[in-house]
Amino acid sequence: MLLAPDPSTPVVAVAVHVDVGFRSEPEGRTGFAHLFEHLMFQGSESLEKLAHFRHVQGSGGVFNGSTHPDYTDYFQVLPSAALERALFLEADRLRAPMLTEENLRNQVDVVKEEIRLNVLSRPYGGFPWILLPPVLYDTFANAHNGYGDFSELEQASLDDAAAFFDAYYAPGNAVLTVAGDIDVDGTARLVEKHFGDIPARDTPARPSFAEPLPGSERRQSVPDAHAPMPALALGYRLPDPLTELDSYLAHALLGSVLTDGEAARLQQRLVYGDGIVTDVSAGCGLFGSPLDSRDPDTFTVTAVHPAAVDPDRVIAAVDEELDRLAAGGPDIAELSRISARWASSLYHEHDRVMSRTLALGSRELLYDRAELAAELPGRLGLITPAHIAEAAGRLRGQGRAVLVVEPTGADDTAEEGNA
């Protein structure tokens, strides 16, 4: 349990981070962690379907949940007077969600519609977070499609859902975070009142998802009927943020040196100089968020370019810029500008009680260090040009994945199947 009082805000945020994500789901059940996130909003043994929604919105609050590679979170923000209501609601569904055949079938259909909307019918759907991992990684946990395969989602049974809940939604497998306008002692008593009687269960052993680095470049092309232009993604393995945090953070700043802002190196060269791409970005995490998963994590460079441009020309330019940085690093002014932008963004983000609450809970669950959320601006400020040079050299010295998206020119509705 994490309690973070902030008397400057008139609201409270409550979040539950559960130690289960895409990488934990069993073979044959792709998309199950995300499906279960939906099921947790379908009522409980105490509250009928949609009651959770009404209680939060009726108090003037907001709520949501999301699924990540290594965790699933549930969160809500309400006026501070509604703190006990928020704690009751989160404890209630953690104790006994309403798992019924009707709810399961309904939410399978909802997830399938999400896949149609966000992947199958959208230009660059699943790029790069679904399409890149099977090129860079070999194991099922790291390489499979976390959004889900239609046929596997349809085969999910109520017994599967019950077993998943029993295994992963044990109280000891979750982190509760409460932040905002709270009294610490009073909040602790309320947490004990509502969560204290949830029966303890064995927590699953946390598996290692480690696998060897790729020994060479791996390349794959995929068709996209909706894409107006070709795209490419480069994927590299990152240092372990738990044991090599400064090296990991140097990669985060490297991504910004390459693509963050009009003055960034790849922006200047590829967009404004050579004019061979229309968009380019680089950074840590398949979702574009650093420190959002355990090891292994992925550094990505993505670009969209005109059909007349050979993707190898873009890749060669990226390699040249990485080589330049590996040889000399960024200059002090360049790095200072990037570090200041990062610090400003982090301080601005943590001004919002919900963002701060989610950062505290996820850092505690992933790395056992909630305080890392507050330390990050200072840690990033200690990264030197030599750290950036080492990060660039590390990328150039390892195997990587190259994913090429090729427009097919057809805009027909995709058939159901693998997302």
Side-chain angles (χ1 to χ4, degrees):
M1 175 178 65
L2 301 172
L3 302 181
D6 179 4
S8 69
T9 180
V11 299
V12 292
V14 176
V16 175
H17 286 75
V18 184
D19 197 340
V20 60
F22 303 140
R23 293 203 280 204
S24 301
E25 56 197 18
E27 291 193 54
R29 289 294 177 267
T30 59
F32 208 88
H34 177 223
L35 171 63
F36 209 87
E37 173 214 320
H38 282 255
L39 287 172
M40 290 292 284
F41 284 95
Q42 301 307 301
S44 68
E45 291 186 358
S46 300
L47 295 173
E48 72 278 10
K49 192 172 183 176
L50 301 181
H52 188 119
F53 296 30
R54 291 195 299 272
H55 280 300
V56 175
Q57 293 172 336
S59 300
V62 295
F63 63 94
N64 212 330
S66 59
T67 313
H68 302 250
D70 292 320
Y71 67 89
T72 306
D73 59 24
Y74 304 89
F75 49 93
Q76 50 189 300
V77 180
L78 303 96
S80 54
L83 170 61
E84 184 166 10
R85 176 172 293 186
L87 293 172
F88 163 75
L89 290 171
E90 292 299 345
D92 188 57
R93 64 174 165 191
L94 188 62
R95 181 183 295 104
M98 185 58 71
L99 302 178
T100 67
E101 188 67 31
E102 178 186 1
N103 284 343
L104 176 60
R105 299 275 70 85
N106 174 268
Q107 293 310 302
V108 165
D109 288 341
V110 169
V111 171
K112 287 169 60 179
E113 188 58 31
E114 266 194 48
I115 294 171
R116 291 189 188 96
L117 179 66
N118 295 332
V119 179
L120 300 179
S121 300
R122 173 177 293 184
Y124 312 110
F127 174 81
W129 75 277
I130 290 176
L131 301 173
L132 187 60
V135 188
L136 182 62
Y137 296 102
D138 295 316
T139 63
F140 171 81
N142 294 321
H144 79 277
N145 170 12
Y147 225 154
D149 176 275
F150 278 16
S151 62
E152 293 183 5
L153 287 168
E154 289 165 351
Q155 292 170 19
S157 70
L158 201 54
D159 286 343
D160 292 330
F164 194 85
F165 176 78
D166 288 341
Y168 292 107
Y169 279 73
N173 207 43
V175 172
L176 170 67
T177 307
V178 186
D181 184 18
I182 61 171
D183 170 75
V184 171
D185 292 338
T187 301
R189 288 192 293 271
L190 289 175
V191 170
E192 176 61 29
K193 174 182 176 181
H194 292 287
F195 287 83
D197 65 345
I198 300 177
R201 303 194 300 276
D202 291 338
T203 57
R206 182 184 298 163
S208 169
F209 299 122
E211 60 175 90
L213 291 169
S216 60
E217 182 173 287
R218 304 171 174 187
R219 186 174 288 231
Q220 184 174 321
S221 297
V222 295
D224 189 328
H226 308 292
M229 290 191 292
L232 65 89
L234 308 178
Y236 307 83
R237 290 277 297 277
L238 281 162
D240 185 345
L242 189 61
T243 59
E244 300 179 82
L245 178 59
D246 287 338
S247 181
Y248 184 101
L249 295 179
H251 285 75
L253 290 180
L254 170 62
S256 293
V257 169
L258 291 171
T259 64
D260 191 4
E262 293 183 357
R265 296 191 175 207
L266 290 180
Q267 294 283 357
Q268 281 292 308
R269 176 168 181 175
L270 299 181
V271 179
Y272 301 109
D274 298 341
I276 59 174
V277 307
T278 61
D279 181 76
V280 62
S281 63
C284 299
L286 287 165
F287 291 90
S289 299
L291 294 175
D292 196 47
S293 67
R294 301 187 179 101
D295 185 64
D297 199 359
T298 308
F299 184 91
T300 66
V301 180
T302 63
V304 178
H305 60 87
V309 175
D310 188 325
D312 283 325
R313 184 181 173 192
V314 180
I315 295 169
V318 172
D319 289 344
E320 288 174 12
E321 292 303 323
L322 287 173
D323 287 339
R324 288 192 180 99
L325 285 164
D331 61 49
I332 294 296
E334 185 179 12
L335 181 55
S336 296
R337 183 180 67 249
I338 292 298
S339 297
R341 180 175 293 183
W342 267 90
S344 175
S345 176
L346 287 168
Y347 285 130
H348 178 72
E349 179 182 349
H350 289 170
D351 274 346
R352 299 190 295 269
V353 66
M354 190 70 268
S355 297
R356 186 165 68 252
T357 303
L358 291 175
L360 289 168
S362 64
R363 285 0 176 218
E364 178 68 18
L365 182 130
L366 294 172
Y367 314 119
D368 297 319
R369 293 199 65 236
E371 61 271 24
L372 182 58
E375 294 173 359
L376 272 181
R379 291 293 290 263
L380 286 164
L382 297 175
I383 301 300
T384 67
H387 288 117
I388 306 294
E390 182 181 357
R394 182 169 179 156
L395 295 186
R396 290 294 285 138
Q398 66 171 268
R400 65 180 173 192
V402 178
L403 173 73
V404 177
V405 176
E406 299 178 339
T408 64
D411 198 23
D412 300 324
T413 301
E415 294 181 2
E416 292 188 0
N418 293 335

